[in-house]
Amino acid sequence: EAGVTQSPTHLIKTRGQQATLRCSPISGHTSVYWYQQALGLGLQFLLWYDEGEERNRGNFPPRFSGRQFPNYSSELNVNALELEDSALYLCASSFRGVSGANVLTFGAGSRLTVL
Amino acid sequence: KQEVTQIPAALSVPEGENLVLNCSFTDSAIYNLQWFRQDPGKGLTSLLLIQSSQREQTSGRLNASLDKSSGRSTLYIAASQPGDSATYLCAVTTDSWGKLQFGAGTQVVVTP
């Protein structure tokens, strides 16, 4: 079974540009989550998509956005890039566990560098 | 607001020693707690998942305990190996839809 796949592995952009990151969930998973891991800041929750809808977002400005497609894959868009957006962006997917709490499986991440 | 703390931030041990990693959380109303491993620049690998009703989970050389009432979890790695060198993260699930609150991690180095 294929795991959560993310692309690109690395992305280099300059300030003010836009970045698009992509995520394919495990087959059968309907929820996709995005997390940011910036140097020195730990893992921060960004966005949660389920069944094509944005269900929740973390404390990030509106220039961080995304969407989920009918096949449950997702993309994260970051507009007007700033230097502090440089980070590892991790995608995770889940199905609802028997306990009622979703269990997340993470991808390998996309490293975004803003120059 | 849930806060997750991991102590120590870094740990170096000689090969063969047992590792003890600590995680504490401020709000005991959790669905589950997970321990992850992260290699430099890589994604997260789930090691153990402990449901809120459980006290511990074991997988091979790994054992994790959970004490919800005191807001603590401990990850034990027996007979450490150089390949165990990585950052270990604990995370608690605070909502049924799966939002994870992470600790800052413990960076482990096992020297041959």
Side-chain angles (χ1 to χ4, degrees):
Chain A
E1 177 186 87
V4 178
T5 57
Q6 292 187 244
S7 63
T9 305
H10 295 93
L11 187 61
I12 300 174
K13 294 285 187 177
T14 56
R15 284 175 56 188
Q17 285 188 316
Q18 178 195 36
T20 298
L21 309 177
R22 295 178 177 84
C23 173
S24 293
I26 291 174
S27 178
H29 287 190
T30 61
S31 280
V32 170
Y33 310 76
W34 288 95
Y35 282 79
Q36 182 198 63
Q37 188 175 33
L39 195 63
L41 291 181
L43 274 149
Q44 303 292 323
F45 166 71
L46 254 171
L47 288 160
W48 170 43
Y49 291 95
D50 182 64
E51 297 284 356
E53 301 283 334
E54 180 182 304
R55 302 294 185 181
N56 209 318
R57 66 181 292 130
N59 189 25
F60 282 84
R63 57 191 187 81
F64 286 83
S65 65
R67 53 180 171 165
Q68 186 177 35
F69 299 98
N71 66 354
Y72 303 115
S73 66
S74 174
E75 67 179 27
L76 173 69
N77 296 297
V78 188
N79 295 318
L81 285 166
E82 300 178 3
L83 296 178
E84 53 264 35
D85 296 334
S86 295
L88 181 67
Y89 289 84
L90 291 169
C91 171
S93 71
S94 78
F95 64 92
R96 188 165 290 278
V98 294
S99 68
N102 297 350
V103 178
L104 279 62
T105 301
F106 283 83
S110 292
R111 170 77 60 187
L112 173 63
T113 301
V114 182
L115 302 176
Chain B
K1 178 188 171 187
Q2 178 75 265
E3 291 187 3
V4 182
T5 304
Q6 291 187 246
I7 294 173
L11 184 60
S12 181
V13 298
E15 182 177 4
E17 270 199 16
N18 296 331
L19 285 162
V20 180
L21 310 179
N22 297 299
C23 172
S24 62
F25 47 96
T26 54
D27 186 346
S28 62
I30 63 171
Y31 283 82
N32 56 52
L33 183 145
Q34 293 186 67
W35 283 93
F36 294 90
R37 169 186 171 136
Q38 186 174 33
D39 293 291
K42 304 295 184 182
L44 304 181
T45 300
S46 181
L47 297 174
L48 290 168
L49 167 69
I50 313 176
Q51 300 291 355
S52 62
S53 58
Q54 297 175 317
R55 299 282 292 182
E56 68 175 345
Q57 277 287 346
T58 298
S59 176
R61 295 184 294 113
L62 277 60
N63 174 275
S65 65
L66 174 63
D67 184 341
K68 259 184 51 173
S69 61
S70 66
R72 293 179 184 176
S73 176
T74 302
L75 177 66
Y76 300 90
I77 303 178
S80 61
Q81 305 168 357
D84 294 329
S85 298
T87 296
Y88 292 82
L89 295 153
C90 79
V92 295
T93 303
T94 57
D95 297 275
S96 63
W97 52 268
K99 179 182 178 181
L100 291 170
Q101 183 73 34
F102 284 88
T106 295
Q107 186 175 15
V108 171
V109 174
V110 180
T111 55

